[in-house]
Structures are given as structure tokens and as C-alpha cells.
Amino acid sequence: MARPVVLVVAPNPFDEAGTPPYESDFWLRTRSGHLASFSNLIRVLNTVGASRPRLANPWKEVRPLAGYYLESFLKTRGHDARAAFRLADVARQGRAAPAPVAVAVSTTFITTVAELVRTLRCVREAVGPDVPVVIGGPFVWKQHLWGPERFLDRAELAGRPEVVPLFGPDPDPLLRDVVFVASEFGEHTLLRLLDAFGRGARSPAALGSVPNLVLWTGEGWTATAGAPEPVDLDRDFPRWDLVDEMPAAVVPVRTSVGCPHECEFCDFVAVHPRLRLRSPASIVDELRLISGRGATSVSFVDDNALSSRKRARALADAIAASGLGLHWGGYLRADAVSDEDVPALVGAGLGHAWCGIESGDPEMLRRMRKRCDVGAARLGIDALLGAGVHVLATFVVGFPGESRASLDATAAFLNGLRRDGKARIEYLAFPFRAIPGAPVDRPERRRALGLEGSFGRWRHGTMTADEVHATWAPHLFRAVDVSYAYYGGDDSALWTAARQREAILTRKELTLAFLDGAPDEIVQRRFAELDAAVRFVPGTPPDWREVLASRDQQPNAALAASRRAVD
């Protein structure tokens, strides 16, 4: 007897729906809309044959881990499942035989009600009005924690897409006939719902005994009783041997849930108040499944995969002992890495490290409660670079107290990192966002820091959100000679480190030409310099418009669009 099929939908709107990024947008773009990373530029400017070069934005196109996890979770518990990661694939998967008995939508990458409605519209067009749809994940959980009246008294936020409540009094019609799972996890609640659907239960009254739900009754929203889920991270991880399709490049792995820190700007402490760590043995069990499918690269996607020296060494030792030979990367506390730790990490396969430094100014780190030692972080990053580990350092721009001096300290931190190592250092700048649930959003902290507003519309004593976008993030970009990160697209073994450094500087100069609104002759001159740095065989550079997108898609216009998105 065929098992009932559930369609799992886990979209990435940052890839396909044009959702504005949270990072400051200092990326050049090609005519096709792809990032002008070195791997993409090499393909465009060194064409072979008549075929059009295939471009990619490797990390921007990542598929949410939740889709793979739910697919395999359901397959191990009496159901069949198909996963769709792009809205364009929902129609194909939804209409395939056998027809799904239900749809489960993950909101891992969904951040607004508008994005959720867009996703639901695609789902309904694919499966029709009668198939039950269940929606869970971080967006639903956060909205449930906030409540529909969280921002009613903040007039400055009126009309902002981020604060449109999911459970407001007049929801979009598409939201009224779905079942919301409001839980820190939710997969076991999904199983109970599928069982109830199998018995014919559809109405709020019929589903009232299932915990952790939010349902539209026709007159308003009602929530069923909350109940903890029997989640065991050592047991409940993706069964990669069961998923229909593996990720195209890097396979995501979760090693923990929650965070032991209380950085002022982060809401993890509200969404996941308890830190749960998987055992190294459980992680290696998952890595064996990944290796068995032929994959060779893994990304540990949670913030605490390598958050302490002890944890990093234990995980590295377990991976090395497995003999799987995988290449991997993960978030790492740079100030918790010493010269003696790095050989063990590299020997186990570490190739990429993502380090949330947040500021190069010790006073700003104190205000953020980041608990990061700038000097130790510099030594840790230098050790990683010297051993061949590529490092992406991230920074928050505009936290209360930020100033020109603190941003100059951040620039000095980046410019002082070694460049003679075997690997590359990159960075990203994230404009500060006053997120509900983060410690900075507590009334007493807002008063102490002089903070007004929320999300991307705020002001405090030293700057405003608009000033970050218009002045201070560009100030940092101009001051730093480290490459702005192009999300994995700059990895290339086809040129020397010296040539890559030259290309980094010429790409930055071209980016500044767009930022400054320079005339076409200056843009063309700087493009010609970039062309010479990237081209393998000398030749006449094409007109920049033949390779790059128009000005309205380049950084100056992109920054303006980002400002409009938060206004």
C-alpha cells in the first residue's frame, strides 16, 4: 500500500524573490543579475566556445536545511515526502503523482507576511483549495511570541512590512485556511496533525486537541495549549540516505540549537532560550550518511558549532577519527582559537571559518555584550589564514554608541590582518537592526542606550539607520582594503594570490565608481583595469555594459533600495 505523500516547501526568498539582503549591498552585478564574483567574472571574460557561461551565487542560492530534515523525518515515520526549495518547483512537485495529502511549509528563510503570502499563493495554485497546508518554523514562532499587538504603540513603524502581524485581526484570505504550528521545533506536532487529517479533521474544533497550533476561527485567531516536543538532536537529524536530491555543492549540518550568549543585538535567546548541543558521535553519524551520497563538502550552519575551544577540538578530533576526508566550514569564535588548535582543525578538514567579530572597537564590543577579545580574535584569524583556512568576518554597523572612531577601529582591525597566508580574508557589514526579543529591545536597555524605533528604522544618540546606509557603511567600505565577501564566489584555484589581491583592489575601485555616481568614462576605465586583472589572455576590454548590469542594479542604487526597504 502506498504511503501518503506530504509536500515539503522550504523556499529561499533571498535567492529567487528579490528580497533585500540584511547586509550592506556593496556587490557588483553581472548582466544576468548574478554577483560579479571572481569565479563568475572569469567565466564571462574568458569564454570557451560558443556556449553561454554558467554563472552562480553559491551561498546565496543555499537551500534551507529544514526542507531536507522534514523530508527525511516524515519518511522515517510512515509517510512519503517530496521537497520543493524554489517557488518555481512547487507547481511541478504539487501536481506530481501521487498527489500530496498535505503540504508542510517551512519559514526558516521567510521574514515577512508578504513573503509568506507569496509562497502560499504558489502552493494553492499547485495543490488546489482542499489540500491541508501546515506552516511552521522560526517566522511563525517569533510572531506567536511577539503577539499581534506588539507594535501598535509605535507610530514610527506604521506600514512597515516587517511589523505586519501574522495573527492580526484582518489576515489575508490565504492565511485563514491554513494551520500554523507555533513551537520552538514543531515536527512532532506536524505528525499529530497528519494523523488528524487522515481521520478527516479539518476545522478548528476538530483540531483543538492538537497542541501548539494557531487557527483562524472565522471571527479571530485561537491558540491551542502549548506542549514541549520530544526532540532529541542526537537522534533527530536529516537522514541523507533518504532524501530524493542532495544539495548541489555544500551540505548543511546542524550541530546545536540555541546560544549561551546574550549579545544585545541578537534574538536567539528569546527564540531558543536553552542551548542544546549534539554529541560529536551523532554529528559523525550524519557525516557518514552525507559521505555515502558522494558529497565532499559540509557547512555547519549553527552559530555554536565551534563556539568554544573545547567544543571545536572535540568535534575536529571526532571528524578526523572518522577518516571520511570531508572538507567543512562553520561559525567559529576567533578569540577562542590558538596556534596550537589550528593544526588539529585543519587536519580534520576545516577549510572555511565564519567569525562574528561585530566590531574592532573594544568599547563597542562591551556595549554589545559580545565578550570578544579583539587582540585574541586577530591572533586567531591570522593563525587560521596562515594554515590555509579562508575566513569571513562579519560586523554590525550602527549599534548604539557607534561613531566614526569606532568604525575606523573596525577598519584598522581588518586592514591589520595578515595577507601573506595561504588563504583569503573577507568581510561583510550588517547594518544594526533593533530586533524584538533581542536584549537591546528590553525597555530598560532602550532607555539606557537612548534607542528609539525597531527593525531597520531607528535612531540613537550617535546615528540613525538612514545615516548607516547613506554614510557610515560606505565609510567603512571605503576604509577597508580587505575584499567584501561575494558569498563563496571568489574561490578559484586558477590564479595566484598576488593576482587575486590586484583583482580585489580593482573591483573595489569599480564599486566605488558606481557608489559615487562617476561618469561612464571613469566606470569604463576602472572596468578595463578589472578586466585586465581577471582575463587570462590579454585582449581589448569590452564595454562595461556588455558584462555588468545597468547602474540601477549596482551598489549606489542597491543601497538606495535597501534604505527604501527599511523605510
Side-chain angles (χ1 to χ4, degrees), residues 49-117:
S51 61
R52 178 175 297 179
R54 179 178 175 83
L55 307 186
N57 299 332
W59 296 351
K60 281 285 186 182
E61 297 166 357
V62 66
R63 294 174 171 182
L65 173 60
Y68 296 106
Y69 172 63
L70 286 175
E71 178 189 353
S72 68
F73 179 84
L74 291 168
K75 286 180 176 179
T76 60
R77 288 162 173 83
H79 298 270
D80 201 356
R82 299 192 295 263
F85 295 92
R86 296 178 60 85
L87 296 184
D89 296 332
V90 171
R92 176 176 57 84
Q93 294 280 27
R95 294 166 184 162
V101 299
V103 179
V105 179
S106 165
T107 60
T108 300
F109 284 9
I110 290 176
T111 58
T112 67
V113 172
E115 290 170 3
L116 182 57
V117 169

Side-chain angles (χ1 to χ4, degrees), residues 361 364 398-409 460 462-463 472 475:
D361 182 79
M364 284 304 301
F399 189 83
E402 189 84 271
S403 65
R404 177 188 292 269
S406 63
L407 288 170
D408 287 345
H460 52 67
T462 57
M463 61 183 61
W472 295 115
H475 172 82

